């Protein structure tokens, strides 16, 4: 059968020093056969970048690290995933362009919902 492809994205950012930040974009691609749920392959690639960010208001820093930095890293992790899958002898996996702004907004909404649920219990 035709394998099903599942793609997950995770971003993480931390401050390394004054005006220096590291952002890590991790992509996990899992290919499974629909019958029996057997895994064909699993590829995980993490691409990190160190960014010097200065003269940015504090309230704009988190969106910058969660949107702009992953946008810069994405082409590199996309190429790494495609290269790994092809070198392993599987049909190419070409990751589609990502809208990191919508992912960031979705994550913030989920965090707000979780905080609201915790305060009501």
């Amino acid at each position: 059968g035709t394998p099903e492809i599942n793609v997950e994205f995770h971003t993480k950012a931390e401050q390394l020093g004054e005006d220096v930040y590291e952002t890590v974009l991790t992509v996990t691609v899992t290919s499974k056969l629909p019958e029996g749920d057997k895994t064909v392959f699993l590829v995980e690639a993490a691409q990190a970048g160190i960014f010097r960010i200065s003269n940015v208001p504090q309230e704009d820093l988190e969106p910058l690290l969660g949107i702009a930095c992953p946008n810069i890293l994405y082409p590199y992790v996309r190429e790494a995933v495609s290269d790994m899958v092809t070198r392993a002898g599987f049909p190419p996996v070409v990751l589609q362009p990502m809208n990191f702004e919508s992912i960031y907004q979705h994550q913030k909404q989920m965090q707000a919902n979780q905080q609201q649920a915790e305060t009501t219990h």
Side-chain angles (χ1 to χ4, degrees):
T2 304
E4 297 173 355
I5 304 287
N6 181 43
V7 181
E8 295 179 27
F9 294 90
H10 300 284
T11 59
K12 180 180 80 169
E14 65 179 298
Q15 187 168 5
L16 300 178
E18 187 176 333
D19 296 338
V20 179
Y21 301 85
E22 178 185 53
T23 297
V24 180
L25 172 62
T26 304
V27 177
T28 305
V29 180
T30 307
S31 175
K32 291 186 176 191
L33 292 176
E35 62 278 344
D37 205 33
K38 183 177 180 178
T39 299
V40 178
F41 66 81
L42 183 137
V43 173
E44 184 169 87
Q47 182 69 49
I50 296 176
F51 300 89
R52 178 172 299 279
I53 302 171
S54 57
N55 299 321
V56 173
Q58 189 64 36
E59 63 271 9
D60 294 337
L61 188 59
E62 187 179 333
L64 185 64
L65 292 169
I67 299 168
C69 294
N71 267 325
I72 292 169
L73 298 173
Y74 185 64
Y76 300 101
V77 76
R78 183 179 172 185
E79 180 182 353
V81 167
S82 180
D83 188 50
M84 281 188 273
V85 171
T86 304
R87 285 178 186 246
F90 296 104
V93 172
V94 179
L95 300 175
Q96 298 302 310
M98 292 301 304
N99 183 341
F100 286 100
E101 184 172 1
S102 68
I103 293 171
Y104 175 81
Q105 296 299 337
H106 179 72
Q107 287 174 339
K108 296 307 283 179
Q109 184 62 46
M110 287 183 60
Q111 286 174 353
N113 291 347
Q114 184 179 10
Q115 287 174 351
Q116 186 178 21
E118 289 174 359
T119 58
T120 57
H121 289 297

